[in-house]
Amino acid sequence: MGSKIKIDRALAPIGGLLTLSERFITGDNPLGILAQAAILVRGEKILWVGKQDDVPASFDLTEADIVDLSGETVMPGLIDCHTHLVFSGSRAGEFDLRVKGATYLEILKAGGGIGATVRATQEASFDELYDLGIQRLSHMMRRGVTTVEAKSGYGLSPEGERRLLEVMRALDRDHSAEIVPTFLGAHTIPPRYKENPGKYVESVIQEMIPDVADKSLAEFCDVFCEEGVFDVTASRKILETARQYGLRLKIHADQLAASGGGALAAELKATSAEHLEYLPEAVIPAFRDAGTVAVLLPVAGLYLMMDRIPPVASLRRQGVPIAIATDFNPGSAPCLSLLTTMTLAAATYRLSTEEIIKGVTIHAARAVGREKVIGRVEEGYQADFSMFPVRDYALIVTTFGETLPTRVMKRGKWVPLASSTQPLKTVV
Amino acid sequence: MGSKIKIDRALAPIGGLLTLSERFITGDNPLGILAQAAILVRGEKILWVGKQDDVPASFDLTEADIVDLSGETVMPGLIDCHTHLVFSGSRAGEFDLRVKGATYLEILKAGGGIGATVRATQEASFDELYDLGIQRLSHMMRRGVTTVEAKSGYGLSPEGERRLLEVMRALDRDHSAEIVPTFLGAHTIPPRYKENPGKYVESVIQEMIPDVADKSLAEFCDVFCEEGVFDVTASRKILETARQYGLRLKIHADQLAASGGGALAAELKATSAEHLEYLPEAVIPAFRDAGTVAVLLPVAGLYLMMDRIPPVASLRRQGVPIAIATDFNPGSAPCLSLLTTMTLAAATYRLSTEEIIKGVTIHAARAVGREKVIGRVEEGYQADFSMFPVRDYALIVTTFGETLPTRVMKRGKWVPLASSTQPLKTVV
C-alpha cells in the first residue's frame, strides 16, 4: 500500500457525469457524458476520471471521502464569465421606466444608468462593498457557480477603479468562489469629463492601466465600445495600451448599435466580445479566425426589451464558441442566477441544451482565459463541480432557475451552501 | 382590560405595506401603500390595519406576538391563479426539440405533449402524486405564494380526473397553502377517443362533471378551447353543463390561434380566460362587460417561443383586470416561481410594476373567485402575507425571481419555509 497514491475524495456520479472533456466527447456524445463514472480528487485537482470499474489499483482509497451520487447529475462548476459584481445602490425604478417606454440611452442621458451606480458606489465604504460581494458570491454559488468574472467600472477614477479591484482581490482571497478580475475603467465617460472625453481616455491610458498592471489587480481590460461612449478609435487605443501592460482583452461590442466593436475584437484578437446583438454577419469569419469567444447576455436583452438578438445561427454555423453569462449589474441585469439565464438563453436565442451547457463550462472558461484549468472534468483540472438532484441534465436548463445544486465543490473542497442550509429539491 | 379585544399578532411593517385595499388606494397611490403601518391579526383574519399611531385603545396587545418588520416590504400573500400542480413525469426533452424548431402541435401529434404526462401520471400512485404536490407547494410558498389554483386534466377518465382532484383535496387539507381546485377533464382528447372525440365530450358532460360536482371536488371547470382540441361548440356544451352543476367557469382561450375561446368566455361570463395571445381586439369590450379576468401566462409564451403576445395595451385601455400566473406544468412551463414569472411579464408584456403586483394579488384573487377573502390587506380578509427583505418593492419584480420572502403568513400562522431554513437575503 505504501506505493499507492492517496486519494482525498472519490465521487461516484451514477446518474451521469458531464465531463466536457475531449477524452470522452464524441459526435454522439457532445458533452462527454460518462455513466457509472468515478472522479478521484487529490488536493485541489482531479487526479483521475473514468468508469468506476476502471479505477486503477495503484490508487489508495482507504482514507478517501467516498461520495455516492446516485441519481445526481455532476458537471463542472459553472462559470459566470461576465458580471459587474461589485457596486452599491439599487436602480430598480429604471426597469419600470423602460417598461413605460424610456430607452437605455435616454435613461443614461437623464443622469440615471451607470452614473447613479457610480455615485452610490463611491459613497459606499470598502467594507460595505466587500460585504455585498460576499453575499452575492454565496448567492451565485448556491446556484452552482464556482468561478465569476468581475468587472470594475463604477469607480471611473484611478482611486475609484483601484478600490473596486482591491475589493475583488479580497473577495477572491476570502470566498471559496474564484474571481477573474477585469479592469473596465472605460465603462462610461464620467460627467466631469463631459466637455473633454478625450482627457478621460488619457487618464485611463496613462494613469489607470499602468497602476492596475503594476499592482496586478486585473487579468483583463474591457471597454464599453458603443456610440456616444468609447468609439472604435478610443477603444483601440485603450486596449492596445492594456495589452502592452500584459492585460488580456475583452470588449462590450455591438450591443445597442453596430459600432464596430466586434470587428475591433477580431482585429485585436480579443479573448472575448460581449453582447453582440448588432454584430454584422460579415465580421463573423474574422471573429472565428481570431479565436474570440462570443459572450451572449440574454438577461440584458430581456431587461432592455431589445427586439434584436445576436446572430446565433451564423455564429454556430461558423464555429465561433458561444458563452452565456448573467451580466449581473444593477441596471440592465439585476439577476444573480446563471441558471435562470441559461433557460432564458435557450428560449430567446434558440440555443440547444448542449450549447447552453458548453456556454457555461468550456466556452466560458475560454472567455476568462482559464480553459486549461476549469470548465471540464479532466485529469489535472481543478476539482470544481456542481451536483444537481436530477437524472436528466436537461432539467437544469428547463426549470427556469429552480433546480438548484445539492452540493458544490471548489478546488477539492465542499462549499458550505450558506444562504440555504437545506438544498431545494427538484420538484419538476 | 376585560372589555378589550385580544390580538394574536401585531405586525409593524415600517418599510412599507402594500395593502391593495380600496381604503388606501388613491390616484397617486395605486397599490394603497401605507408607511409606519400596523396589522392586527386575530385567528385567521385581519382585524385591523392602519397607521401604528392610530391603533385603537380597545385592542389588547399584551399577549400579542408583536413583529417588527422594519426594512421589509409586506404585501398580501401571492396568488398563483393558473397551475397544473399535480402530475408525474418529466418532459424536459421537449424544450430542446422546440428550440430546434418543432411546434407545440407537432410535439402533440407525435405522441408527446400532454399525452406523455397523462401516461406518467396514471402510472404514479396517489401517494407519489401527493408527495410531489407537497414538495411543489413548499417550493412555491418559499417564493411568497399562499394560494394556488390547481387544474386536473392528466387523468382524462372519470376515475383519473377524480383521483387528481382527490390529491388536491388532500394537499389543501394537509399543506398550509390554499388550493383552488379546477376540473379540466377537457384538457385534451385521449387517444382512445381519437376516432370519436364527441364521445369523450359526452363522457366529460355525462360522467365527469356530475361526479366532480356531486363530491364537491372542484370549484371551477376549465376547457382547453383550441383548434383540434375542443372547439367552441364542444367547449360551450361542457361549460354550460358545468355551470348547471354549480361550477364556475374558466377557459384556456386563443393561445395558439384565434379559436373563439375569448368570445365564448365573454358570452358565458366566465370568471377568467387564460393565455389570450390571439384574443381578437374586437372581443375586448365584451370581455370587460362580462367582468372576465384576463390571466396572462408569459412563461408558456417564452417556452413555446411564441412571436406574439396578448393585446396588453388594449386590455389595459379598456379596463380589463389582468392577472399573471406561472402556468406551472411539465411541458410548456416547468417553472414553479411566480416571482420569476413576474419579471418576465414586466419585460415581455410591458406591464408596469403596479400592474404586476395587482396581477398576483387583487386580480388573481378575482380570477380564483376569492376576491372577498384574499389578495388584500384589509379588515376581514385572511391574514395571508409575504414579507420581502427590501425597502423598495420594485426589487421584488426586477430581480428575476431572486428576492425571496423572509417570512410568509397563511391564515394568521407563520409558514415554516421548509426547503430553505435560512432566508436568502436580497443582494441587489
Side-chain angles (χ1 to χ4, degrees):
Chain A
M1 291 292 266
S3 63
K4 286 189 170 185
I5 298 161
K6 200 171 147 283
I7 299 300
D8 294 329
R9 291 175 212 284
L11 312 179
I14 293 172
L17 168 65
L18 315 188
T19 67
L20 281 302
S21 164
E22 276 157 29
R23 256 189 69 200
F24 302 109
I25 288 173
T26 63
D28 289 343
N29 186 5
L31 301 179
I33 297 176
L34 263 188
Q36 305 292 330
I39 309 167
L40 305 186
V41 173
R42 191 175 153 85
E44 298 190 352
K45 298 248 172 104
I46 298 165
L47 190 67
W48 187 89
V49 56
K51 289 275 187 192
Q52 287 171 25
D53 291 343
D54 300 338
V55 173
S58 55
F59 293 132
D60 173 9
L61 279 83
T62 49
E63 287 176 48
D65 164 26
I66 296 177
V67 184
D68 178 359
L69 296 164
S70 11
E72 307 244 333
T73 292
V74 179
M75 61 181 292
L78 310 188
I79 301 161
D80 194 346
C81 66
H82 180 135
T83 86
H84 302 260
L85 182 72
V86 182
F87 63 84
S88 183
S90 162
R91 278 158 52 201
E94 279 179 25
F95 183 55
D96 200 48
L97 287 177
R98 279 200 302 277
V99 162
K100 290 168 178 160
T103 68
Y104 183 67
L105 289 177
E106 281 168 6
I107 290 171
L108 213 65
K109 280 177 190 158
I114 295 172
T117 301
V118 170
R119 288 190 295 278
T121 302
Q122 281 172 346
E123 284 163 21
S125 71
F126 187 98
D127 287 352
E128 282 164 359
L129 294 171
Y130 173 90
D131 288 344
L132 283 167
I134 292 285
Q135 286 184 54
R136 288 169 188 160
L137 289 171
S138 295
H139 194 100
M140 293 164 114
M141 286 201 114
R142 187 69 197 80
R143 281 146 191 81
V145 170
T146 54
T147 303
V148 177
E149 189 261 9
K151 303 175 194 297
S152 67
Y154 298 117
L156 305 185
S157 69
E159 315 71 49
E161 290 295 307
R162 189 193 311 129
R163 192 170 74 121
L164 292 180
L165 293 165
E166 284 168 350
V167 171
M168 290 176 205
R169 174 176 283 178
L171 292 171
D172 184 52
R173 179 193 66 209
D174 299 345
H175 200 280
S176 47
E178 176 174 355
I179 293 190
V180 180
T182 294
F183 167 66
L184 178 58
H187 197 190
T188 189
I189 306 284
R192 64 188 186 284
Y193 287 95
K194 209 148 211 170
E195 300 308 312
N196 194 351
K199 243 190 125 184
Y200 184 66
V201 174
E202 289 308 310
S203 169
V204 170
I205 288 174
Q206 293 174 6
E207 299 182 273
M208 298 189 210
I209 291 174
D211 181 52
V212 166
D214 182 53
K215 299 186 169 64
S216 299
L217 282 170
E219 292 177 33
F220 285 91
C221 179
D222 194 349
V223 174
F224 188 42
C225 179
E226 203 71 49
E227 270 178 61
V229 193
F230 298 91
D231 65 14
V232 168
T233 307
S235 297
R236 186 189 285 111
K237 236 168 128 178
I238 291 167
L239 292 171
E240 285 183 337
T241 303
R243 183 151 61 190
Q244 286 163 13
Y245 278 91
L247 296 168
R248 300 183 70 182
L249 311 183
K250 291 179 169 288
I251 310 187
H252 278 65
D254 298 321
Q255 177 189 9
L256 305 172
S259 305
L264 181 64
E267 175 196 326
L268 297 177
K269 296 195 174 16
T271 302
S272 67
E274 347 264 304
H275 290 289
L276 302 175
E277 275 84 347
Y278 286 85
L279 179 69
E281 295 274 342
V283 173
I284 299 178
F287 223 75
R288 188 231 3 248
D289 295 343
T292 301
V293 179
V295 176
L296 307 188
L297 306 166
V299 177
L302 179 77
Y303 278 69
L304 296 178
M305 292 162 236
M306 294 180 70
D307 49 13
R308 198 179 163 104
I309 68 165
V312 170
S314 301
L315 291 167
R316 174 190 294 137
R317 203 165 42 240
Q318 304 212 30
V320 174
I322 296 171
I324 306 296
T326 58
D327 191 18
F328 173 64
N329 77 70
S332 60
C335 167
L336 278 167
S337 173
L338 188 55
L339 294 170
T340 301
T341 306
M342 290 158 69
T343 305
L344 189 68
T348 56
Y349 294 171
R350 288 184 173 266
L351 289 164
S352 72
T353 301
E354 283 69 31
E355 288 172 320
I356 296 290
I357 301 272
K358 288 182 178 175
V360 296
T361 56
I362 42 174
H363 293 163
R366 194 161 153 187
V368 297
R370 301 197 180 180
E371 67 273 23
K372 304 284 186 204
V373 186
I374 56 174
R376 327 180 173 197
V377 180
E378 193 173 299
E379 282 85 351
Y381 275 65
Q382 271 181 204
D384 293 4
F385 311 109
S386 288
M387 297 158 198
F388 292 89
V390 286
R391 277 180 183 275
D392 179 1
Y393 66 87
L395 283 163
I396 301 167
V397 177
T398 62
T399 54
F400 220 164
E402 297 298 315
T403 299
L404 302 195
T406 43
R407 310 175 201 226
V408 174
M409 182 180 279
K410 181 67 185 178
R411 293 192 179 107
K413 287 191 181 139
W414 296 111
V415 174
L417 298 178
S419 53
S420 172
T421 54
Q422 294 213 359
L424 290 172
K425 277 197 195 160
T426 182
V427 286
V428 177
Chain B
M1 291 290 266
S3 63
K4 285 189 171 188
I5 298 158
K6 200 170 145 284
I7 298 300
D8 293 328
R9 293 177 210 284
L11 312 179
I14 292 171
L17 167 66
L18 280 44
T19 67
L20 283 302
S21 162
E22 274 157 32
R23 254 190 68 200
F24 302 109
I25 288 173
T26 63
D28 290 342
N29 185 5
L31 301 179
I33 297 175
L34 263 189
Q36 306 292 330
I39 309 168
L40 305 185
V41 173
R42 190 175 156 84
E44 298 192 354
K45 299 249 173 104
I46 299 167
L47 189 68
W48 187 88
V49 56
K51 290 277 187 189
Q52 288 171 25
D53 291 345
D54 300 339
V55 174
S58 54
F59 294 130
D60 172 9
L61 278 83
T62 48
E63 286 175 48
D65 163 27
I66 296 178
V67 183
D68 178 357
L69 296 163
S70 12
E72 307 243 334
T73 291
V74 179
M75 61 182 292
L78 309 188
I79 301 161
D80 193 345
C81 65
H82 181 136
T83 86
H84 301 258
L85 181 72
V86 182
F87 62 84
S88 183
S90 162
R91 280 158 51 200
E94 278 178 27
F95 184 55
D96 201 46
L97 287 177
R98 278 200 302 274
V99 162
K100 290 167 179 164
T103 67
Y104 182 68
L105 289 176
E106 281 167 6
I107 290 171
L108 213 65
K109 279 176 192 159
I114 294 171
T117 300
V118 170
R119 289 189 296 277
T121 302
Q122 280 171 347
E123 284 163 21
S125 70
F126 187 98
D127 287 352
E128 282 164 0
L129 294 170
Y130 173 89
D131 288 345
L132 283 167
I134 292 284
Q135 286 183 54
R136 289 170 186 158
L137 288 171
S138 295
H139 194 100
M140 293 166 113
M141 284 201 115
R142 187 71 198 79
R143 282 147 189 81
V145 169
T146 54
T147 303
V148 178
E149 189 263 6
K151 302 176 195 296
S152 66
Y154 298 118
L156 305 185
S157 70
E159 314 71 48
E161 289 295 306
R162 188 192 313 129
R163 193 170 72 122
L164 293 178
L165 292 165
E166 284 168 349
V167 170
M168 290 177 205
R169 175 176 283 177
L171 292 170
D172 185 52
R173 179 193 65 209
D174 298 345
H175 200 281
S176 47
E178 175 174 354
I179 292 190
V180 181
T182 294
F183 167 65
L184 179 59
H187 197 190
T188 189
I189 306 285
R192 65 186 185 283
Y193 286 96
K194 209 150 211 171
E195 300 308 310
N196 193 353
K199 241 189 127 184
Y200 184 66
V201 174
E202 289 308 308
S203 170
V204 170
I205 288 176
Q206 292 174 5
E207 299 181 273
M208 299 188 209
I209 291 175
D211 182 52
V212 165
D214 181 53
K215 299 184 169 64
S216 299
L217 283 169
E219 292 177 33
F220 285 90
C221 179
D222 194 348
V223 174
F224 187 42
C225 178
E226 202 73 50
E227 269 178 63
V229 195
F230 298 91
D231 65 13
V232 168
T233 307
S235 298
R236 186 187 286 110
K237 235 168 128 179
I238 292 166
L239 293 172
E240 285 184 337
T241 304
R243 183 151 61 189
Q244 285 164 10
Y245 277 92
L247 296 168
R248 298 184 67 182
L249 311 184
K250 291 178 169 288
I251 310 187
H252 278 65
D254 298 320
Q255 177 188 11
L256 305 172
S259 306
L264 182 63
E267 176 196 326
L268 297 177
K269 295 194 172 21
T271 303
S272 67
E274 347 266 302
H275 290 291
L276 302 176
E277 275 83 347
Y278 286 86
L279 179 69
E281 296 274 343
V283 173
I284 299 178
F287 223 74
R288 186 225 12 240
D289 294 344
T292 301
V293 179
V295 176
L296 306 187
L297 306 165
V299 177
L302 179 77
Y303 277 68
L304 297 177
M305 293 164 237
M306 293 180 73
D307 50 12
R308 196 180 165 105
I309 68 166
V312 170
S314 301
L315 290 168
R316 174 190 294 137
R317 203 166 41 242
Q318 303 211 28
V320 174
I322 296 171
I324 307 294
T326 58
D327 192 16
F328 173 64
N329 76 70
S332 60
C335 167
L336 278 167
S337 172
L338 188 56
L339 294 170
T340 301
T341 306
M342 288 159 69
T343 305
L344 188 69
T348 57
Y349 294 171
R350 290 186 172 266
L351 290 163
S352 72
T353 301
E354 282 70 30
E355 287 171 321
I356 296 288
I357 301 271
K358 287 182 180 175
V360 296
T361 55
I362 41 174
H363 293 163
R366 194 162 153 186
V368 296
R370 300 196 180 181
E371 68 272 23
K372 303 283 187 205
V373 185
I374 55 174
R376 331 183 168 191
V377 180
E378 194 172 299
E379 282 85 351
Y381 275 65
Q382 269 181 206
D384 294 2
F385 311 109
S386 288
M387 298 158 197
F388 293 89
V390 287
R391 276 182 184 275
D392 178 0
Y393 66 87
L395 282 163
I396 301 168
V397 177
T398 62
T399 54
F400 219 165
E402 297 298 315
T403 298
L404 302 194
T406 45
R407 313 176 199 223
V408 174
M409 181 179 280
K410 181 68 187 177
R411 293 193 179 110
K413 287 193 180 137
W414 295 110
V415 175
L417 298 177
S419 53
S420 173
T421 54
Q422 293 213 359
L424 290 172
K425 275 194 194 163
T426 183
V427 289
V428 177

